[in-house]
Amino acid sequence: TTTTTNTIIIMEKRIMAQIQSAVLDTCTAAAVVYFYYTHPDFFNPWNLNLQQWILGGLAIRLAVTLYDHLVVFAVDSLFAQQYLPTRTTGNPVRYVELDVTSVVFLTINAFHEWIFVQRLCHYIWFSPDVSRQVEDIGLINTIGSLWVMFVVMDVCYAPLHHIMHLPKLYPLVHKHHHRQHFPTRGYLDAGNEHPIEHVIGVLCTWAAVIAAVTLTQAHAVTIFVFF
């Protein structure tokens, strides 16, 4: 029957998507392992020992958690808990628990964020193009730099985000991020994305920082504010 045929087609598409996803994830993991083997300094630019590396990563997670609570407190204080219209219709909000895949992705992304923070701080500290002197702070390398960073960030991320929504690619990477239609857990929902998508976001951030430094000699303080 037509119903049976359609069911078989849907199942075949799901199986094919699962196979493609497994191949993509395996190739990505292999590429990361190879890159770690050939460029170990990339993952530890400050040459921290294992204990320092772990403590630093935990400190970043604590900072993100505190920031999460600070944002919730600020929003509740400013808007007196004025909920979005979608939260006041009386209909139950679709809530998706964190599954094993989500926990794995969040863990991988936490490691990646810590590496990114290390590399960004290393760049700010050692780059001859980034000033850290208070007397060098000016309008162009602060307000102007922020404008450049936000524009470049959007110019880079918007088309890439659109590409991730293309039917052929969407199930492989970006679909996981949209499992939760109404995010309620702050960073746990915002950062719950495929590691490939996380890498794309970090690369866009790097592009924004490099562009601001190149065009407006962005000050170190400005880069920290943007991040």
Side-chain angles (χ1 to χ4, degrees), residues 200-221:
I200 291 173
V202 167
L203 290 176
C204 290
T205 303
W206 269 117
V209 170
I210 298 301
V213 171
T214 302
L215 298 175
T216 61
Q217 291 76 53
H219 195 275
V221 173

Side-chain angles (χ1 to χ4, degrees), residues 73-167:
F73 174 78
V75 171
D76 286 346
S77 299
L78 292 174
F79 299 101
Q81 295 184 343
Q82 294 179 11
Y83 295 108
L84 295 171
T86 51
R87 307 293 179 94
T88 57
T89 60
N91 297 323
V93 176
R94 180 175 179 268
Y95 186 82
V96 179
E97 295 287 347
L98 295 177
D99 58 3
V100 175
T101 301
S102 297
V103 173
V104 171
F105 284 178
L106 283 166
T107 302
I108 293 174
N109 293 341
F111 276 98
H112 183 220
E113 280 181 358
W114 172 220
I115 295 169
F116 166 68
V117 169
Q118 290 183 72
R119 296 199 61 80
L120 180 65
C121 292
H122 191 273
Y123 171 75
I124 293 173
W125 189 260
F126 290 103
S127 174
D129 300 321
V130 179
S131 174
R132 301 182 304 277
Q133 305 302 319
V134 176
E135 56 269 21
D136 291 336
I137 295 178
L139 186 64
I140 299 299
N141 64 4
T142 54
I143 303 301
S145 296
L146 280 175
W147 182 84
V148 170
M149 283 190 277
F150 280 114
V151 169
V152 173
M153 183 74 175
D154 284 351
V155 167
C156 291
Y157 188 75
L160 292 172
H161 186 216
H162 175 76
I163 290 173
M164 286 190 291
H165 271 274
L166 295 177

Side-chain angles (χ1 to χ4, degrees), residues 17-34:
Q18 291 173 350
I19 294 174
Q20 291 174 338
S21 179
V23 171
L24 177 64
D25 293 348
T26 302
C27 291
T28 302
V32 172
V33 171
Y34 176 77

Side-chain angles (χ1 to χ4, degrees), residues 6 16 31 50 52 109 184 226:
N6 291 338
M16 181 58 64
L50 181 59
Q52 292 170 332
N109 293 341
T184 58
F226 174 73

Side-chain angles (χ1 to χ4, degrees), residues 43-58:
F43 299 82
N44 188 19
W46 292 94
N47 294 318
L48 304 176
N49 60 41
L50 181 59
Q51 183 179 7
Q52 292 170 332
W53 204 94
I54 293 174
L55 288 176
L58 292 176

